[in-house]
């Protein structure tokens, strides 16, 4: 089996097309929510406030510890859950995911969203959202006095007391951002599973692929079974084509008309034109009966009576 046949053997149809449509509708709703939540949080609507609230309760490091470290020339980096990188990264991947969804919808309508292509696309999206989920739930161990070994407090704790009431809405938005990230990650995993499932060839597709390959191998080559040209059987002769037949017919009609005119004038030359084609000594037709050649051009074989 050649490389071209191997590509043809890859399934191009979804085994669950209706499920894919339902997933498209669900993905659109979740991605709109994710884009709204991530866009509201940019650039720093509540990230520093939640960081400070956790520090006040001893759940994570202090925001001003970064300033003290910079002032004392100490090497330190912002903990990943509280960094600007996470906020910007979430906005970028939400825009990318929504754009990919629009492209997927158009390609699915045009019947070019093959399972193999879906596997590649959703594998990339899964990688992006795994990074986002890890960054949002990363630990904060920058302050030994206030270690945070697990996810930030707004994920693991309630947004009620002892949290200040004015931060309750921000806490819920942060929880929602992490929730939609996990939901999109699970949705892309579902896409990936369905894509891999559709790539598994069924028994009927295997049989059809084998039959197509055998029929192509048994297909005759072009011009292999074309009948021989008339006039070439039994040896190399001048080929008889429809064009030659037409010229022969026209030549005979014109010869008959010339013969009739010659009889009226009493000339022998017209009689010759009214006769049938003159054959050579070997019984074959002269060359002028196979090609368009007038009497003034054709001289005839040697010994032919004019």
């Amino acid at each position: 089996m050649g490389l071209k046949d191997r590509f043809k053997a890859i399934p191009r149809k979804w085994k669950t097309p209706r499920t894919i449509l339902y997933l498209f509708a669900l993905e659109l709703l979740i991605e709109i929510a994710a884009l709204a939540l991530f866009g509201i949080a940019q650039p720093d609507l509540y990230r520093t406030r939640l960081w400070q609230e956790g520090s006040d309760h001893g759940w994570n490091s202090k925001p001003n510890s970064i300033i003290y470290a910079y002032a004392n020339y100490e090497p330190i980096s912002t903990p990943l859950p509280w960094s600007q990188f996470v906020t910007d990264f979430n906005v970028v991947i939400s825009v990318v995911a929504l754009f990919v969804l629009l492209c997927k919808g158009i390609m699915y309508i045009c019947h070019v969203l093959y399972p193999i292509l879906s596997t590649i696309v959703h594998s990339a999206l899964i990688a992006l959202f795994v990074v986002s989920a890890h960054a949002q739930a990363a630990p904060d161990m920058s302050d030994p006095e206030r270690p945070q070994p697990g996810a930030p407090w707004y994920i693991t704790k309630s947004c009620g007391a002892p949290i200040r009431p004015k931060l309750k809405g921000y806490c819920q938005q942060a929880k929602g951002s992490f929730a939609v990230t996990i939901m999109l990650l699970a949705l892309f995993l579902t896409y990936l599973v369905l894509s891999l499932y559709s790539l598994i060839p069924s028994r009927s597709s295997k049989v059809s692929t084998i039959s197509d390959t055998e029929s192509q191998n048994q297909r005759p080559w072009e011009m292999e079974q074309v009948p021989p040209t008339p006039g070439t059987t039994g040896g190399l002769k001048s080929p008889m084509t429809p064009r030659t037949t037409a010229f022969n017919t026209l030549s005979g009609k014109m010869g008959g008309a010339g013969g009739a005119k010659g009889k009226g004038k009493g000339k022998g030359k017209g009689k010759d034109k009214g006769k049938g084609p003159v054959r050579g000594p070997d019984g074959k037709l002269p060359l002028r009966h196979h090609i368009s050649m007038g009497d003034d051009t054709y001289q005839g074989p040697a010994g032919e009576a004019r």
Side-chain angles (χ1 to χ4, degrees):
M1 182 182 292
L3 183 60
K4 186 177 181 180
D5 295 332
R6 292 181 185 274
F7 280 119
K8 288 184 178 180
I10 298 177
R12 299 186 179 184
K13 294 183 178 180
W14 292 89
K15 295 182 179 179
T16 55
R18 185 171 296 181
T19 304
I20 297 299
L21 293 177
Y22 292 152
L23 291 178
F24 281 166
L26 180 61
E27 182 183 357
L28 179 61
L29 297 177
I30 299 176
E31 286 187 356
I32 291 176
L35 185 60
L37 290 172
F38 293 148
I40 291 173
Q42 197 185 32
D44 186 10
L45 178 63
Y46 52 77
R47 185 182 66 251
T48 303
R49 297 179 183 181
L50 297 180
W51 189 4
Q52 183 64 49
E53 183 71 16
S55 175
D56 295 341
H57 295 281
W59 297 332
N60 51 250
S61 62
K62 295 181 179 180
N64 55 9
S65 61
I66 305 297
I67 301 176
Y68 294 152
Y70 286 154
N72 296 325
Y73 300 98
E74 297 178 359
I76 192 173
S77 59
T78 305
L80 195 57
W82 316 112
S83 65
Q84 184 67 34
F85 165 77
V86 176
T87 305
D88 296 338
F89 183 77
N90 289 336
V91 174
V92 171
I93 64 173
S94 61
V95 174
V96 170
L98 185 59
F99 175 75
V100 172
L101 175 61
L102 297 178
C103 295
K104 289 191 302 183
I106 296 174
M107 295 175 68
Y108 189 82
I109 294 174
C110 297
H111 303 285
V112 293
L113 184 62
Y114 303 133
I116 183 65
L117 182 60
S118 174
T119 302
I120 298 173
V121 171
H122 290 106
S123 297
L125 290 174
I126 288 172
L128 292 175
F129 279 85
V130 163
V131 173
S132 175
H134 168 71
Q136 294 181 58
D140 177 12
M141 305 297 292
S142 59
D143 190 352
E145 297 180 359
R146 297 178 177 84
Q148 176 196 310
W153 65 268
Y154 60 81
I155 296 178
T156 58
K157 301 181 183 301
S158 173
C159 294
I163 308 302
R164 288 180 292 175
K166 65 179 182 179
L167 296 179
K168 181 178 180 180
Y170 294 146
C171 175
Q172 292 175 347
Q173 290 183 29
K175 281 181 178 290
S177 299
F178 183 73
V180 295
T181 302
I182 299 301
M183 291 173 65
L184 286 174
L185 184 58
L187 190 62
F188 295 146
L189 285 172
T190 305
Y191 276 121
L192 182 60
V193 171
L194 293 178
S195 301
L196 295 176
Y197 173 67
S198 298
L199 285 175
I200 300 175
S202 60
R203 183 174 301 178
S204 59
S205 63
K206 289 180 180 180
V207 173
S208 62
T209 302
I210 295 174
S211 61
D212 292 342
T213 305
E214 292 178 352
S215 62
Q216 289 180 0
N217 294 334
Q218 296 176 0
R219 185 177 301 172
W221 289 91
E222 185 178 2
M223 303 297 292
E224 181 180 1
Q225 297 183 355
V226 175
T229 305
T232 59
T233 307
L236 183 59
K237 298 179 181 180
S238 299
M240 294 293 292
T241 63
R243 179 187 180 97
T244 305
T245 306
F247 276 123
N248 290 342
T249 305
L250 183 60
S251 178
K253 290 182 179 181
M254 293 179 63
K261 187 182 294 185
K263 286 181 180 180
K265 294 182 179 180
K267 296 182 181 180
K269 189 175 180 179
K271 295 179 181 180
D272 295 337
K273 289 187 177 180
K275 296 179 181 180
V278 180
R279 296 181 177 270
D282 55 354
K284 298 181 180 179
L285 293 174
L287 182 61
R288 68 167 180 160
H289 293 283
H290 301 289
I291 60 176
S292 178
M293 184 178 294
D295 293 337
D296 54 344
T297 305
Y298 177 73
Q299 301 298 329
E304 178 181 344
R306 296 295 294 172

